[in-house]
Amino acid sequence: LHPFFMLSLMRSMVEFTKDLYYDPEPVERALRRMTDDLIPRQLGLIKQTGINLGMLTEERASAFFYPPRIFERFWWPYTREIVDAMWSEGIVTLFHLDQCWDKNIKYFKQLPRGSAVLELDSTTNIFAAKQAARGHLCLHGDVPAALLSIGTAADVASYCRKLIDEVGADGGFILGSGCSVPPDVK
């Protein structure tokens, strides 16, 4: 989990949001310490696997919940630091991004080219994300869970073809589910 997400889970969304607005210094100290601890721990674990891919999960930092000034102060600098540390060791960061990241995708273009995969969950417009990340980062997704549950095989095939043709046309795309595959998929 991203340190921001972990803190919001531990404090609760309401209390963490109060902290961000009314007592931000302890939050920044905690994020600093958690980031400093996370980087060597994750590097060690990833190197043990022999797979040059590290995952960061985030559900609560996007503009769906917070304005850009909160994102820019409490999420983005630590994220860049984590990605830079991973990338310097040849490790790609896979971001599992739940909720709508439409207003935040542009930030990811600041990361080194090829350093990240953005795994989207069908609430972010993957077609617009492709325009923003084209030639810079890879996208993963985003066949919606609802489509897999209640759609027909033809509906799923049609949407997959659209993703392949439009998002994957020039590379930088991994076809997958939007977050998860539900247990009632046909």
Side-chain angles (χ1 to χ4, degrees):
L1 302 178
H2 191 285
F4 184 97
F5 185 33
M6 198 177 310
L7 281 178
S8 76
L9 289 171
M10 290 188 293
R11 286 282 290 151
S12 85
M13 188 77 173
V14 171
E15 294 303 313
F16 182 62
T17 300
K18 288 178 189 176
D19 294 342
L20 292 172
Y21 284 92
Y22 302 115
D23 198 13
E25 288 78 17
V27 174
E28 289 179 313
R29 285 194 305 272
L31 289 169
R32 171 79 277 135
R33 177 60 190 266
M34 292 170 78
T35 301
D36 289 345
D37 289 346
L38 176 125
I39 290 171
R41 185 178 63 243
Q42 287 301 101
L43 282 172
L45 290 171
I46 293 165
K47 287 179 180 180
Q48 287 178 16
T49 69
I51 301 168
N52 291 329
L53 185 70
M55 184 175 183
L56 269 182
T57 300
E58 181 58 70
E59 294 179 7
R60 296 181 174 183
S62 75
F64 182 81
F65 293 107
Y66 295 110
R69 66 185 171 88
I70 295 292
F71 175 83
E72 290 168 357
R73 179 175 177 183
F74 296 99
W75 196 81
W76 189 242
Y78 304 100
T79 301
R80 287 188 67 164
E81 188 176 337
I82 293 165
V83 171
D84 287 345
M86 298 298 156
W87 189 240
S88 72
E89 299 287 332
I91 297 167
V92 173
T93 303
L94 170 65
F95 287 95
H96 180 85
L97 301 174
D98 287 332
Q99 299 303 332
C100 182
W101 287 77
D102 289 344
K103 295 178 181 177
N104 302 86
I105 293 294
K106 64 184 177 189
Y107 292 91
F108 290 93
K109 191 104 182 216
Q110 298 172 27
L111 299 175
R113 186 178 186 274
S115 65
V117 175
L118 307 182
E119 183 179 36
L120 307 175
D121 75 348
S122 302
T123 55
T124 299
N125 180 338
I126 195 168
F127 302 99
K130 177 62 178 193
Q131 297 306 315
R134 177 172 267 117
H136 197 76
L137 299 175
C138 181
L139 299 180
H140 176 273
D142 100 357
V143 182
L147 181 63
L148 291 169
S149 291
I150 61 174
T152 66
D155 293 336
V156 172
S158 175
Y159 188 70
C160 288
R161 175 55 49 205
K162 181 177 180 179
L163 287 171
I164 291 165
D165 290 346
E166 295 181 28
V167 181
D170 58 353
F173 176 63
I174 301 167
L175 177 66
S177 64
C179 190
S180 62
V181 176
D184 62 346
V185 70
K186 295 179 180 95

